Amino acid sequence: MSFQTLWYKTKLPEYVVDGFIEESKGYGVETATIKDNVLNLETRNSKTCWISQSHWIAGFCHHYVQLANQFNYNYELVKTPDRPLQYTVYDEGEHYSWHVDTIDEVDNGLIRKLSFTIQLSSPEEYSGGELQFLDDGNHTFFAPKEKGTIIIFDSRMRHRVRKVKSGTRKSIVGWVEGPRWK
């Protein structure tokens, strides 16, 4: 199966991204866990907190996800307003190993179908920390690191965040769900 990865250089002004980052200083990020709230720093070493779907940035992200789905994926998706977005911070030495975002069942028979991340840091603010994908032919490629870029991909696609060598990488991550594949 071949999965497609898309990215858009959004029109989100840099001062708006900077305003969100300033706002996020009061969020209180905590060490990230993996499935079933397991702490495993070898697999995932970063800090996260949750952002409500009612926050303006969620609507902004979902606008691009819906465009990508309408013109590229055409998946059956369901709006789940109670699913928060994840604000993620990777400092020097932190990473997230190869993984997929699919979960057997999220709730009420729904599964994750599309994943997205929006880059909040400028490429000059950190080195390393690349969002890397592995396609079905075992070829790897990197997503752009430009501030404000949103990357949208099938939740079944293997990906990772490479170890940050210096600085801090900040992003927002989210998932869109739909009924089981037919």
Side-chain angles (χ1 to χ4, degrees), residues 151-169:
I151 298 101
I152 303 160
F153 55 98
D154 188 297
S155 297
R156 298 171 289 181
M157 187 167 205
R158 292 188 60 75
H159 60 285
R160 69 176 177 173
V161 175
R162 293 174 51 167
K163 190 177 285 189
V164 172
K165 296 177 184 174
S166 66
T168 301
R169 177 187 189 269

Side-chain angles (χ1 to χ4, degrees), residues 106-117:
V106 178
D107 196 16
N108 297 327
L110 301 177
I111 61 170
R112 288 181 179 173
K113 288 193 170 180
L114 289 176
S115 300
F116 62 90
T117 183

Side-chain angles (χ1 to χ4, degrees), residues 8 31 39 42 46 74 76 107-108 113-114 119 125 128 130-131 133 163 176 179-180:
Y8 299 97
T31 302
L39 180 64
E42 288 183 29
S46 62
N74 202 28
E76 185 178 354
D107 196 16
N108 297 327
K113 288 193 170 180
L114 289 176
Q119 295 287 112
E125 295 179 64
E130 298 89 358
L131 176 57
F133 293 93
K163 190 177 285 189
V176 183
R180 290 194 168 280

Side-chain angles (χ1 to χ4, degrees), residues 9-161:
K9 190 161 181 105
T10 68
K11 304 287 188 209
L12 192 60
E14 192 167 319
Y15 74 88
V16 174
V17 175
D18 293 342
F20 176 82
I21 290 171
E22 186 63 33
E23 174 189 324
S24 73
K25 290 178 181 175
Y27 287 173
V29 294
E30 298 178 356
T31 302
T33 58
I34 55 176
K35 188 176 180 180
D36 298 325
N37 291 320
V38 172
L39 180 64
N40 181 338
L41 296 178
E42 288 183 29
T43 300
R44 184 179 194 184
N45 187 357
S46 62
K47 293 167 288 304
T48 62
C49 69
W50 299 99
I51 301 168
S52 170
Q53 281 282 348
S54 64
H55 193 285
W56 68 266
I57 206 152
F60 175 81
C61 292
H62 284 288
H63 165 75
Y64 281 96
V65 170
Q66 293 304 321
L67 282 176
N69 188 51
Q70 180 181 353
F71 294 110
N72 297 279
Y73 297 102
N74 202 28
Y75 292 167
E76 185 178 354
L77 302 176
V78 176
K79 178 90 168 125
T80 49
D82 57 334
R83 301 279 192 254
L85 302 182
Q86 187 181 89
Y87 173 62
T88 308
V89 177
Y90 293 90
D91 287 318
E92 187 173 328
E94 295 180 338
H95 71 286
Y96 196 164
S97 299
W98 290 109
H99 66 284
V100 295
D101 290 342
T102 53
I103 294 179
D104 293 337
E105 190 169 303
V106 178
D107 196 16
N108 297 327
L110 301 177
I111 61 170
R112 288 181 179 173
K113 288 193 170 180
L114 289 176
S115 300
F116 62 90
T117 183
I118 186 164
Q119 295 287 112
L120 299 176
S121 302
S122 295
E124 302 82 30
E125 295 179 64
Y126 65 102
S127 65
E130 298 89 358
L131 176 57
Q132 185 176 29
F133 293 93
L134 179 67
D135 69 16
D136 55 344
N138 282 329
H139 301 101
T140 61
F141 61 96
F142 297 106
K145 292 173 76 171
E146 285 75 28
K147 184 184 238 179
T149 300
I150 188 166
I151 298 101
I152 303 160
F153 55 98
D154 188 297
S155 297
R156 298 171 289 181
M157 187 167 205
R158 292 188 60 75
H159 60 285
R160 69 176 177 173
V161 175

